[in-house]
Amino acid sequence: MSTRIDARFAELKKQGRSAFITFLMAGDPDPATSLEIVKALPKAGADIIEIGMPFTDPMADGPAIQAAGLRALKAGMTLRKTLAMVREFRKGDNATPLVLMGYYNPIYIYGVDKFLVDAKSAGVDGLIIVDLPPEEDVELCLPAMQAGLNFIRLATPTTDDKRLPAVLANTSGFVYYVSITGITGSASANTAVVGEAVARIKRHTQLPVCVGFGIRTPEAARGIAENADGAVVGTALVEALAASLDAQGHATAKTVTAVADLVAALAQGVRGAKQAAE
């Protein structure tokens, strides 16, 4: 099975560069603006797009992403509408990989089998479900793989060599290395430490290793991209979006460009990275 994610990494490998992966919350600040932003991302330089599924109790998210989720929920965003947004995006873009990221609860309530059928037909390529450990693979990971979706796993600084094989066992698409311990948006990634961690994970897997958490500037993105197969930016984009809203938290004429412009600057950082020799 080859997915859009596999195809994109193969293509980037030929170009000799890392992936730039963006994260935004579905429905933030409202469903229509959110779709407009996501549509603008590939042109701005996003190679892969992660879309957050808003959830009422997001325990791994920092304040910025929690606030984004709350704005989305307040604007009436649901998992069904998130899938509709993917379907709408796919009408104009059949190449950019889309990954849904979030928690298991909304999927469980939606119904796992129904969700996988609907996600696949909408054009979703992969899932990152932060609260399902490898021990729970029968719940969603294995059915997702059977449905032709990549199940992308998180590895962290505390994932040691004993734990890694379990984490990597049913992972596909790429491995998402969380560069800092703690919640999103809380600290900055240390390039040297990240480089060592990526090398360690690569001893266990052939999959691309992408790094997220703590990347806010083009310089930081470039530093990470030199050591990893991809750099993931979320909090900085969500903050740029939030800063563009009016006093009531509604979208303004600046909202879409605020995000797209930052994506373009970060993408330049990633593209400026000299790929370390394989």
Side-chain angles (χ1 to χ4, degrees):
M1 161 193 108
S2 177
T3 63
R4 286 185 189 91
I5 296 171
D6 303 326
R8 180 57 49 104
F9 277 111
E11 197 183 301
L12 293 174
K13 197 170 179 149
K14 280 201 199 98
Q15 294 175 21
R17 70 173 182 86
S18 290
F20 176 43
I21 304 174
T22 57
F23 169 89
L24 285 159
M25 187 65 69
D28 177 28
D30 62 76
T33 308
S34 183
L35 174 62
E36 239 183 291
I37 293 170
V38 173
K39 282 180 172 173
L41 295 176
K43 281 194 283 291
D47 296 304
I48 295 172
I49 300 170
E50 289 177 7
I51 297 175
M53 298 177 280
F55 179 49
T56 44
D57 187 24
M59 58 204 172
D61 297 326
I65 291 176
Q66 278 194 18
L70 289 174
R71 283 192 298 269
L73 291 168
K74 202 172 141 191
M77 202 59 179
T78 61
L79 186 49
R80 194 174 307 279
K81 286 182 183 172
T82 301
L83 294 175
M85 179 169 127
V86 171
R87 200 171 290 117
E88 201 52 45
F89 172 85
R90 280 281 171 242
K91 288 179 184 170
D93 184 325
N94 200 33
T96 305
L98 293 181
V99 176
L100 293 185
M101 184 169 189
Y103 299 86
Y104 182 45
N105 182 276
I107 294 172
Y108 178 75
I109 291 169
Y110 192 99
V112 169
D113 297 341
K114 183 172 170 24
F115 169 77
L116 291 172
V117 168
D118 292 354
K120 182 72 182 162
S121 76
V124 173
D125 302 294
L127 302 173
I128 301 174
I129 308 300
V130 293
D131 56 348
L132 275 186
E135 289 72 18
E136 311 285 341
D137 272 359
V138 296
E139 292 283 328
L140 182 64
C141 173
L142 299 178
M145 287 164 67
Q146 278 156 357
L149 295 170
N150 290 130
F151 200 85
I152 297 149
R153 197 80 78 180
L154 302 174
T156 69
T158 56
T159 311
D160 60 17
D161 283 329
K162 280 210 288 289
R163 179 72 178 154
L164 258 178
V167 168
L168 297 170
N170 293 314
T171 299
S172 63
F174 61 93
V175 179
Y176 187 138
Y177 179 69
V178 176
S179 61
I180 48 181
T181 44
I183 54 172
T184 55
S186 54
S188 295
N190 175 328
T191 316
V193 176
V194 167
E196 285 163 30
V198 169
R200 184 169 70 86
I201 295 167
K202 281 185 168 294
R203 289 199 285 275
H204 292 265
T205 181
Q206 297 293 306
L207 289 171
V209 179
C210 300
V211 177
F213 285 49
I215 305 170
R216 294 175 165 274
T217 62
E219 296 69 42
R222 175 179 296 144
I224 293 295
E226 279 173 1
N227 290 302
D229 301 302
V232 188
V233 179
T235 299
L237 301 181
V238 170
E239 286 175 347
L241 186 157
S244 78
L245 303 176
D246 68 16
Q248 281 72 49
H250 297 146
T252 64
K254 295 195 208 83
T255 300
V256 177
T257 47
V259 179
D261 290 351
L262 180 54
V263 168
L266 290 160
Q268 286 309 111
V270 172
R271 284 159 201 239
K274 292 283 170 282
Q275 280 306 284
E278 285 292 301

